[in-house]
Amino acid sequence: NYQSDYGHFFLSWYFQSLVAHSVAILQPARNIVPASVNISAKVPGIHWWYKDPSHAAELTAGLYNTNNYNAYATLAQSFRQSGSGMDFTCLEMLDSDQPSSCECGPFELVQQSKAAAHAAGIAFAGENALARYDSTAYNTIETQTSALGYPIK
């Protein structure tokens, strides 16, 4: 059970392994790449089961984003340590585009990751997860770029 003592232990260990890996990759990259070149870590928009308390899909990928943990805030802080930004996917997605049975929350997930990047003081970039070129997707991207009072640059 993800809420048990063992669940907390395992999920913390699994997530910290992911964070350690990001530091192990980004820090040497930052040491090699000139400071005039921006480096960003790509973070997947795993939005399935986002509205379920377990956040099961994120947990499976190593993102500990439940039990009062904020995976994206922790990642943003680790990216800051290496002078990196965050590149996030699924900016074009709306919750209503997803099957309701999967309790998806792509719109809120983008908001959470964007807020985490802003709080850490790092650059936030975004991209489509799917090859969509319709006006609804474009308008959603526009909405996400200015949401929360700070634009994506």
Side-chain angles (χ1 to χ4, degrees):
N1 177 323
Y2 73 96
Q3 294 177 315
S4 69
D5 288 342
Y6 181 75
H8 287 289
F9 164 77
F10 177 78
L11 295 168
S12 294
W13 169 82
Y14 190 27
F15 180 56
Q16 288 309 313
S17 297
L18 180 68
V19 172
H21 176 71
S22 74
V23 171
I25 298 299
L26 292 170
Q27 194 60 58
R30 181 74 283 161
N31 293 337
I32 294 168
V33 176
S36 59
V37 176
N38 295 329
I39 294 177
S40 290
K42 187 169 182 176
V43 178
I46 302 177
H47 55 83
W48 310 277
W49 303 110
Y50 182 81
K51 293 182 179 180
D52 183 85
S54 71
H55 289 246
E58 290 167 290
L59 293 178
T60 302
L63 297 166
Y64 194 11
N65 197 41
T66 189
N67 292 339
N68 297 314
Y69 286 83
N70 183 335
Y72 306 97
T74 302
L75 285 173
Q77 288 297 327
S78 74
F79 299 162
R80 179 185 172 140
Q81 291 174 0
S82 64
S84 303
M86 181 187 294
D87 180 16
F88 203 77
T89 63
C90 74
L91 263 67
E92 83 286 7
M93 293 184 170
L94 290 170
D95 298 358
S96 59
D97 295 335
Q98 312 305 314
S100 61
S101 61
C102 295
E103 299 190 53
C104 298
F107 195 86
E108 294 86 351
L109 180 57
V110 170
Q111 302 275 298
Q112 182 184 359
S113 62
K114 183 180 176 186
H118 179 75
I122 64 170
F124 182 83
E127 60 187 70
N128 288 27
L130 305 172
R132 286 188 55 187
Y133 309 105
D134 57 278
S135 61
T136 300
Y138 180 77
N139 291 336
T140 303
I141 292 169
E142 281 191 326
T143 298
Q144 291 286 29
T145 61
S146 59
L148 303 177
Y150 31 92
I152 297 174
K153 298 176 183 178

